Amino acid sequence: MDYIPVDKENIPEMFDIDLADETFKLKFAYNETGDFFTVNLYRPSDGEEDEEIILGEKMILNKPLWNDSSDLTLPAPQLVPMDLSDNETSITWDNFGVTVFLYINDQADDEDDNL
């Protein structure tokens, strides 16, 4: 599985990403008080402002982003923060980008039960 490289030292960080032949924008933020990361999802626009799809989604270990949304405009592949060594129990400043990464799950239909 591929992962999305996020440089936590540059947070808040925003960049374009191609997912299933569509371009989206992801913006990452960090809540220092709660020690958690959030992600905003946008659809790039030709106008001045990008279209907001989902704002402030908290990243939770092994839980696909936007899993609770029924919005049909979401990216096709799931984005899942995971620690492939299965040693971490949550996402923190110390482990994000070290042992925990945001993976692109292109086989979401086949592997939902394994997350």
Short mmCIF file of all heavy atoms in Angstrom, two decimals, residues 19-20 22-26 39-43 51-55 57 64-79:
data_model
loop_
_atom_site.label_atom_id
_atom_site.label_comp_id
_atom_site.label_asym_id
_atom_site.label_seq_id
_atom_site.Cartn_x
_atom_site.Cartn_y
_atom_site.Cartn_z
N LEU A 19 -6.48 11.04 -6.55
CA LEU A 19 -7.04 9.80 -6.02
C LEU A 19 -8.10 9.31 -7.00
O LEU A 19 -9.10 10.00 -7.24
CB LEU A 19 -7.67 10.02 -4.64
CG LEU A 19 -6.72 10.49 -3.54
CD1 LEU A 19 -7.50 10.97 -2.34
CD2 LEU A 19 -5.76 9.37 -3.16
N ALA A 20 -7.89 8.14 -7.57
CA ALA A 20 -8.84 7.54 -8.50
C ALA A 20 -9.21 8.51 -9.62
O ALA A 20 -10.37 8.77 -9.89
CB ALA A 20 -10.09 7.05 -7.78
N GLU A 22 -9.14 11.64 -9.85
CA GLU A 22 -9.67 12.94 -9.45
C GLU A 22 -8.63 13.65 -8.60
O GLU A 22 -7.86 13.01 -7.89
CB GLU A 22 -10.93 12.78 -8.61
CG GLU A 22 -12.17 12.43 -9.38
CD GLU A 22 -13.40 12.53 -8.49
OE1 GLU A 22 -13.86 13.66 -8.23
OE2 GLU A 22 -13.87 11.48 -8.04
N THR A 23 -8.62 14.97 -8.67
CA THR A 23 -7.70 15.74 -7.86
C THR A 23 -8.46 16.33 -6.68
O THR A 23 -9.55 16.89 -6.84
CB THR A 23 -7.06 16.88 -8.69
OG1 THR A 23 -6.34 16.28 -9.77
CG2 THR A 23 -6.10 17.69 -7.84
N PHE A 24 -7.87 16.18 -5.51
CA PHE A 24 -8.42 16.74 -4.28
C PHE A 24 -7.32 17.55 -3.60
O PHE A 24 -6.14 17.44 -3.96
CB PHE A 24 -8.89 15.63 -3.33
CG PHE A 24 -10.05 14.84 -3.85
CD1 PHE A 24 -9.85 13.70 -4.61
CD2 PHE A 24 -11.34 15.24 -3.56
CE1 PHE A 24 -10.93 12.98 -5.09
CE2 PHE A 24 -12.43 14.52 -4.04
CZ PHE A 24 -12.22 13.39 -4.81
N LYS A 25 -7.70 18.32 -2.59
CA LYS A 25 -6.73 18.99 -1.74
C LYS A 25 -6.93 18.48 -0.33
O LYS A 25 -8.05 18.32 0.13
CB LYS A 25 -6.91 20.51 -1.77
CG LYS A 25 -6.40 21.15 -3.01
CD LYS A 25 -6.36 22.65 -2.90
CE LYS A 25 -5.74 23.23 -4.16
NZ LYS A 25 -5.55 24.66 -4.09
N LEU A 26 -5.81 18.21 0.34
CA LEU A 26 -5.83 17.82 1.74
C LEU A 26 -5.12 18.89 2.54
O LEU A 26 -4.06 19.37 2.14
CB LEU A 26 -5.11 16.48 1.94
CG LEU A 26 -5.70 15.26 1.25
CD1 LEU A 26 -4.80 14.05 1.49
CD2 LEU A 26 -7.10 14.98 1.75
N VAL A 39 -7.82 16.53 9.32
CA VAL A 39 -7.66 16.67 7.88
C VAL A 39 -8.90 17.35 7.31
O VAL A 39 -10.02 16.99 7.66
CB VAL A 39 -7.50 15.29 7.19
CG1 VAL A 39 -7.25 15.47 5.70
CG2 VAL A 39 -6.42 14.47 7.83
N ASN A 40 -8.67 18.32 6.44
CA ASN A 40 -9.73 18.93 5.65
C ASN A 40 -9.62 18.40 4.23
O ASN A 40 -8.50 18.23 3.71
CB ASN A 40 -9.61 20.45 5.61
CG ASN A 40 -9.80 21.09 6.96
OD1 ASN A 40 -10.26 20.48 7.91
ND2 ASN A 40 -9.45 22.36 7.04
N LEU A 41 -10.76 18.19 3.60
CA LEU A 41 -10.80 17.70 2.22
C LEU A 41 -11.50 18.73 1.36
O LEU A 41 -12.59 19.20 1.70
CB LEU A 41 -11.56 16.37 2.16
CG LEU A 41 -11.76 15.75 0.78
CD1 LEU A 41 -10.44 15.28 0.20
CD2 LEU A 41 -12.75 14.59 0.85
N TYR A 42 -10.85 19.09 0.24
CA TYR A 42 -11.39 20.08 -0.68
C TYR A 42 -11.34 19.55 -2.10
O TYR A 42 -10.49 18.73 -2.43
CB TYR A 42 -10.56 21.37 -0.67
CG TYR A 42 -10.41 22.02 0.67
CD1 TYR A 42 -9.36 21.67 1.52
CD2 TYR A 42 -11.29 23.01 1.08
CE1 TYR A 42 -9.19 22.30 2.74
CE2 TYR A 42 -11.13 23.65 2.31
CZ TYR A 42 -10.08 23.28 3.13
OH TYR A 42 -9.92 23.89 4.35
N ARG A 43 -12.25 20.07 -2.93
CA ARG A 43 -12.16 19.84 -4.37
C ARG A 43 -11.66 21.15 -4.97
O ARG A 43 -12.26 22.20 -4.75
CB ARG A 43 -13.52 19.49 -4.95
CG ARG A 43 -13.48 19.31 -6.48
CD ARG A 43 -14.71 18.67 -7.07
NE ARG A 43 -14.64 17.22 -6.83
CZ ARG A 43 -15.41 16.57 -5.96
NH1 ARG A 43 -16.29 17.20 -5.24
NH2 ARG A 43 -15.31 15.26 -5.83
N GLU A 51 -13.74 24.07 -3.16
CA GLU A 51 -14.99 23.56 -2.60
C GLU A 51 -14.68 22.73 -1.35
O GLU A 51 -13.94 21.75 -1.41
CB GLU A 51 -15.70 22.68 -3.63
CG GLU A 51 -16.96 22.03 -3.13
CD GLU A 51 -17.52 21.01 -4.10
OE1 GLU A 51 -17.08 20.96 -5.27
OE2 GLU A 51 -18.39 20.25 -3.67
N GLU A 52 -15.27 23.13 -0.23
CA GLU A 52 -15.09 22.37 1.01
C GLU A 52 -15.96 21.13 0.96
O GLU A 52 -17.16 21.21 0.70
CB GLU A 52 -15.50 23.23 2.21
CG GLU A 52 -14.67 24.48 2.38
CD GLU A 52 -15.20 25.39 3.47
OE1 GLU A 52 -16.36 25.22 3.90
OE2 GLU A 52 -14.46 26.29 3.88
N ILE A 53 -15.36 19.99 1.22
CA ILE A 53 -16.13 18.74 1.25
C ILE A 53 -16.30 18.29 2.70
O ILE A 53 -17.41 18.09 3.16
CB ILE A 53 -15.45 17.64 0.40
CG1 ILE A 53 -15.35 18.10 -1.06
CG2 ILE A 53 -16.23 16.34 0.50
CD1 ILE A 53 -14.57 17.17 -1.95
N ILE A 54 -15.19 18.13 3.41
CA ILE A 54 -15.24 17.77 4.84
C ILE A 54 -14.15 18.54 5.56
O ILE A 54 -13.00 18.58 5.10
CB ILE A 54 -15.06 16.25 5.05
CG1 ILE A 54 -16.27 15.52 4.47
CG2 ILE A 54 -14.87 15.93 6.52
CD1 ILE A 54 -16.33 14.05 4.75
N LEU A 55 -14.49 19.13 6.68
CA LEU A 55 -13.54 19.93 7.46
C LEU A 55 -13.36 19.33 8.85
O LEU A 55 -14.32 18.87 9.47
CB LEU A 55 -14.04 21.37 7.60
CG LEU A 55 -14.27 22.13 6.30
CD1 LEU A 55 -14.80 23.53 6.59
CD2 LEU A 55 -13.00 22.19 5.46
N GLU A 57 -11.78 16.60 10.06
CA GLU A 57 -11.87 15.16 10.33
C GLU A 57 -10.70 14.73 11.20
O GLU A 57 -9.53 14.86 10.81
CB GLU A 57 -11.85 14.38 9.01
CG GLU A 57 -11.86 12.89 9.17
CD GLU A 57 -13.23 12.31 9.45
OE1 GLU A 57 -14.23 13.05 9.45
OE2 GLU A 57 -13.31 11.09 9.68
N PRO A 64 -10.78 4.47 8.66
CA PRO A 64 -10.74 5.23 7.41
C PRO A 64 -11.28 6.64 7.60
O PRO A 64 -12.27 6.84 8.32
CB PRO A 64 -11.65 4.43 6.48
CG PRO A 64 -11.68 3.05 7.06
CD PRO A 64 -11.55 3.24 8.55
N LEU A 65 -10.62 7.60 6.98
CA LEU A 65 -11.12 8.97 7.02
C LEU A 65 -12.48 9.05 6.33
O LEU A 65 -12.73 8.34 5.36
CB LEU A 65 -10.14 9.92 6.32
CG LEU A 65 -8.78 10.10 6.98
CD1 LEU A 65 -7.91 11.03 6.13
CD2 LEU A 65 -8.91 10.65 8.38
N TRP A 66 -13.32 9.90 6.84
CA TRP A 66 -14.64 10.17 6.28
C TRP A 66 -15.52 8.93 6.23
O TRP A 66 -16.47 8.86 5.46
CB TRP A 66 -14.52 10.82 4.89
CG TRP A 66 -13.51 11.90 4.91
CD1 TRP A 66 -13.54 13.05 5.65
CD2 TRP A 66 -12.27 11.95 4.20
NE1 TRP A 66 -12.41 13.79 5.42
CE2 TRP A 66 -11.61 13.14 4.54
CE3 TRP A 66 -11.65 11.09 3.29
CZ2 TRP A 66 -10.38 13.51 4.02
CZ3 TRP A 66 -10.42 11.46 2.78
CH2 TRP A 66 -9.80 12.65 3.14
N ASN A 67 -15.24 7.95 7.05
CA ASN A 67 -16.01 6.70 7.06
C ASN A 67 -17.45 6.91 7.50
O ASN A 67 -18.34 6.15 7.12
CB ASN A 67 -15.32 5.69 8.00
CG ASN A 67 -15.73 4.28 7.70
OD1 ASN A 67 -15.86 3.89 6.55
ND2 ASN A 67 -15.93 3.50 8.75
N ASP A 68 -17.70 7.95 8.30
CA ASP A 68 -19.05 8.20 8.81
C ASP A 68 -19.87 9.09 7.88
O ASP A 68 -21.01 9.41 8.19
CB ASP A 68 -18.98 8.85 10.20
CG ASP A 68 -18.35 7.93 11.23
OD1 ASP A 68 -18.45 6.70 11.06
OD2 ASP A 68 -17.76 8.44 12.19
N SER A 69 -19.30 9.49 6.75
CA SER A 69 -19.99 10.39 5.83
C SER A 69 -20.62 9.61 4.69
O SER A 69 -20.05 8.64 4.19
CB SER A 69 -19.01 11.41 5.26
OG SER A 69 -19.67 12.23 4.33
N SER A 70 -21.79 10.07 4.28
CA SER A 70 -22.45 9.44 3.13
C SER A 70 -22.32 10.30 1.87
O SER A 70 -22.99 10.07 0.88
CB SER A 70 -23.94 9.21 3.44
OG SER A 70 -24.55 10.45 3.76
N ASP A 71 -21.42 11.28 1.92
CA ASP A 71 -21.18 12.19 0.80
C ASP A 71 -20.63 11.40 -0.39
O ASP A 71 -19.58 10.76 -0.30
CB ASP A 71 -20.20 13.27 1.22
CG ASP A 71 -20.08 14.38 0.20
OD1 ASP A 71 -20.30 14.12 -1.01
OD2 ASP A 71 -19.76 15.51 0.60
N LEU A 72 -21.33 11.46 -1.51
CA LEU A 72 -20.93 10.70 -2.69
C LEU A 72 -19.78 11.35 -3.45
O LEU A 72 -19.26 10.77 -4.41
CB LEU A 72 -22.13 10.51 -3.63
CG LEU A 72 -23.29 9.72 -3.03
CD1 LEU A 72 -24.45 9.65 -4.01
CD2 LEU A 72 -22.85 8.33 -2.62
N THR A 73 -19.35 12.55 -3.05
CA THR A 73 -18.25 13.22 -3.74
C THR A 73 -16.89 12.90 -3.11
O THR A 73 -15.88 13.46 -3.51
CB THR A 73 -18.45 14.75 -3.76
OG1 THR A 73 -18.42 15.23 -2.41
CG2 THR A 73 -19.76 15.13 -4.43
N LEU A 74 -16.86 12.01 -2.15
CA LEU A 74 -15.60 11.64 -1.49
C LEU A 74 -14.71 10.84 -2.42
O LEU A 74 -15.20 10.18 -3.34
CB LEU A 74 -15.89 10.83 -0.23
CG LEU A 74 -16.61 11.59 0.88
CD1 LEU A 74 -17.01 10.64 2.00
CD2 LEU A 74 -15.73 12.69 1.43
N PRO A 75 -13.40 10.85 -2.18
CA PRO A 75 -12.49 10.05 -3.01
C PRO A 75 -12.84 8.57 -2.96
O PRO A 75 -13.30 8.06 -1.93
CB PRO A 75 -11.12 10.30 -2.38
CG PRO A 75 -11.27 11.51 -1.53
CD PRO A 75 -12.71 11.59 -1.15
N ALA A 76 -12.61 7.88 -4.08
CA ALA A 76 -12.93 6.46 -4.15
C ALA A 76 -12.07 5.60 -3.22
O ALA A 76 -12.61 4.79 -2.48
CB ALA A 76 -12.81 5.98 -5.59
N PRO A 77 -10.75 5.74 -3.23
CA PRO A 77 -9.98 4.90 -2.31
C PRO A 77 -10.07 5.44 -0.88
O PRO A 77 -10.21 6.64 -0.66
CB PRO A 77 -8.55 5.00 -2.83
CG PRO A 77 -8.50 6.27 -3.59
CD PRO A 77 -9.88 6.52 -4.11
N GLN A 78 -10.04 4.53 0.07
CA GLN A 78 -10.02 4.94 1.47
C GLN A 78 -8.65 5.44 1.86
O GLN A 78 -7.63 4.92 1.39
CB GLN A 78 -10.38 3.76 2.39
CG GLN A 78 -11.81 3.36 2.36
CD GLN A 78 -12.07 2.25 3.36
OE1 GLN A 78 -11.17 1.50 3.72
NE2 GLN A 78 -13.29 2.13 3.81
N LEU A 79 -8.62 6.42 2.75
CA LEU A 79 -7.38 6.90 3.36
C LEU A 79 -7.44 6.47 4.81
O LEU A 79 -8.37 6.84 5.54
CB LEU A 79 -7.26 8.41 3.24
CG LEU A 79 -7.35 8.97 1.82
CD1 LEU A 79 -7.17 10.49 1.84
CD2 LEU A 79 -6.36 8.32 0.90
#
